[in-house]
Amino acid sequence: MVILGIESSCDDTSAAVIVDGVLRSNVTASQKVHEEFGGVVPELASRAHQQNILPVVDTALKRAGVTKHDLSAVAFTRGPGLLGSLLVGTSFAKGLALALHIPIIDVNHLQGHVLAHFVTDQQSPITNQPSFPFLCLLVSGGNSQIVLVKAYNDMQIIGQTIDDAAGEAFDKCAKVLGLPYPGGPWIDKLAKQGDAAKYPFAKPAIKGYDYSFSGLKTSFLYTLRDMLQAHGVESIDELAERVPNLREDMCASLQTTIVDILMRKLKKAAQDLNIRQVAVAGGVSANSALRQAFIDFGKKYHWDVFIPPFAFTTDNAAMIAQAGYFKFLDHDFSAIDEVPYAKTTI
Ligand code: KG4
């Protein structure tokens, strides 16, 4: 069984091939075109997907050692994401499948992130996989959710952000500090040389398992504004000349606050539901402090923790092919007239 997975929901064009349940290739073209704008420009993203998709799919097939005629089905991200970007992957998948007389399988991008934990990769094998039910903290540029995963195809969001996503908080605060986009990896890097206790930022008081990051963003902004005023300067660069280790300390304090907010709710959910299998997924799961927090919580609360390899944290087609593989086993195929959706739940 040979499944081609295609991911094009945001600014990464990715294709992956899974043969008999084992990942053979995972090729991603990340779009550099957005860097100068400090965020993803949807129009440019769609055009870059159009340019990238054929060479990316071609390379994925070659690296997997298969041809298009070996394919059993094409799995593609149907949503959520940017509609113009999704349309490129969806249309490509349909065209290819029609030409080859094989089925298409639509995949929910969020479910894909969760199912990244089941990718069997010969290059970097995941030795242990979560068993059901487990909790998954899904944290990316657009989502912050606690998901109760009951089965491959049965997931329930039990908590989610009521405003910004965790990745958005990283990216927006990084932008204020004058760091490039996406800011999350930069904050992670600078935080390593910073004092995490230097700036105590506001933490939200939201009921249940929901998250909020907009108050933290404002608190971050006001701290900088007050320091600019106190030093009588107008730019972050001028302030950084007067305040030693400014960016590093701000990054470390922000990172520790975000991780603390995320882990508190997750701990509450794990305790309330009496679940000890706990996973993390999505772009922000590449964050070193969050990964360490998972290891620490695992030891402290006797959780089995599941942290994905770096290649499967940010958007990738391996997770889409994996979700497609499970659906193929269930003969869960899609109609040719199905359309992408910009917003959806899990
Ligand atoms: O899942 P993902 O690739 O895609 C979307 O949500 O579209 O997540 C991207 C997010 C960005 O906000 C990025 O800043 C964040 O993941 N991210 C990180 C790190 N690496 C990526 N955030 C914090 N620390 C990191 N090391």
Side-chain angles (χ1 to χ4, degrees):
M1 187 208 307
V2 185
I3 309 289
L4 170 69
I6 293 176
E7 157 63 30
S8 73
S9 65
C10 190
D11 59 342
D12 293 304
T13 320
S14 187
V17 176
I18 285 184
V19 178
D20 295 332
V22 178
L23 182 69
R24 287 273 197 90
S25 66
N26 184 34
V27 178
T28 302
S30 298
Q31 303 175 2
K32 300 280 170 226
V33 65
H34 310 287
E35 273 171 12
E36 61 177 296
F37 301 100
V40 177
V41 185
E43 177 77 23
L44 296 179
S46 332
R47 290 186 205 180
H49 282 306
Q50 283 283 11
Q51 288 175 329
N52 293 341
I53 195 146
L54 197 54
V56 164
V57 168
D58 197 41
T59 309
L61 292 174
K62 283 193 178 117
R63 281 198 196 156
V66 299
T67 75
K68 60 181 186 287
H69 300 291
D70 297 318
L71 295 177
S72 313
V74 185
F76 64 97
T77 303
R78 186 177 171 196
L82 301 171
L83 210 58
S85 293
L86 291 163
L87 275 166
V88 177
T90 304
S91 304
F92 187 92
K94 286 182 182 181
L96 185 62
L98 274 174
L100 296 170
H101 305 290
I102 55 175
I104 50 168
I105 302 171
D106 73 289
V107 174
N108 178 318
H109 180 79
L110 303 174
Q111 291 195 1
H113 270 302
V114 174
L115 297 176
H117 284 283
F118 297 92
V119 174
T120 308
D121 182 7
Q122 281 167 333
Q123 311 294 325
S124 54
I126 300 175
T127 41
N128 62 337
Q129 297 180 340
S131 50
F132 304 111
F134 67 93
L135 286 178
C136 186
L137 176 68
L138 177 47
V139 269
S140 67
N143 300 279
S144 294
Q145 303 170 332
I146 299 177
V147 183
L148 172 61
V149 188
K150 299 176 206 164
Y152 299 123
N153 53 5
D154 187 3
M155 304 184 195
Q156 182 191 344
I157 295 170
I158 59 168
Q160 60 189 319
T161 182
I162 58 166
D163 40 55
D164 288 349
E168 231 172 326
F170 272 113
D171 294 341
K172 286 181 178 167
C173 291
K175 196 172 177 181
V176 175
L177 282 180
L179 300 173
Y181 176 85
W186 287 91
I187 293 197
D188 195 349
K189 198 170 162 207
L190 288 176
K192 292 192 167 60
Q193 285 106 48
D195 175 3
K198 181 87 179 206
Y199 301 107
F201 297 125
K203 285 184 191 161
I206 309 283
K207 285 199 185 125
Y209 309 128
D210 284 343
Y211 290 118
S212 165
F213 291 99
S214 68
L216 168 61
K217 202 178 62 191
T218 310
S219 171
F220 186 89
L221 212 61
Y222 284 3
T223 303
L224 269 180
R225 183 199 60 184
D226 294 348
M227 285 166 77
L228 285 167
Q229 279 173 1
H231 287 268
V233 292
E234 286 185 355
S235 75
I236 301 296
D237 285 342
E238 287 172 290
L239 187 63
E241 282 171 19
R242 289 170 172 74
V243 182
N245 228 35
L246 172 77
R247 285 195 174 89
E248 291 82 352
D249 291 343
M250 287 290 283
C251 287
S253 303
L254 176 74
Q255 180 171 277
T256 203
T257 311
I258 292 177
V259 170
D260 186 56
I261 293 170
L262 290 172
M263 295 309 290
R264 266 189 213 199
K265 290 290 172 90
L266 188 62
K267 186 187 91 182
K268 182 173 160 45
Q271 283 175 340
D272 291 353
L273 299 175
N274 196 23
I275 291 181
R276 295 228 177 102
Q277 301 260 310
V278 189
V280 61
V284 181
S285 68
N287 183 266
S288 58
L290 184 59
R291 293 169 89 89
Q292 187 57 47
F294 262 75
I295 295 167
D296 296 342
F297 273 62
K299 283 188 191 136
K300 193 164 174 192
Y301 300 108
H302 308 289
W303 292 353
D304 291 329
V305 293
F306 303 91
I307 305 169
F310 282 108
F312 306 143
T313 55
T314 44
D315 290 347
N316 65 86
M319 65 187 198
I320 303 304
Q322 185 65 38
Y325 170 76
F326 288 136
K327 280 191 153 188
F328 191 96
L329 293 178
D330 288 344
H331 301 283
D332 187 359
F333 303 118
S334 313
I336 203 73
D337 60 352
E338 272 176 3
V339 290
Y341 35 62
K343 284 193 165 49
T344 188
T345 183
I346 213 153

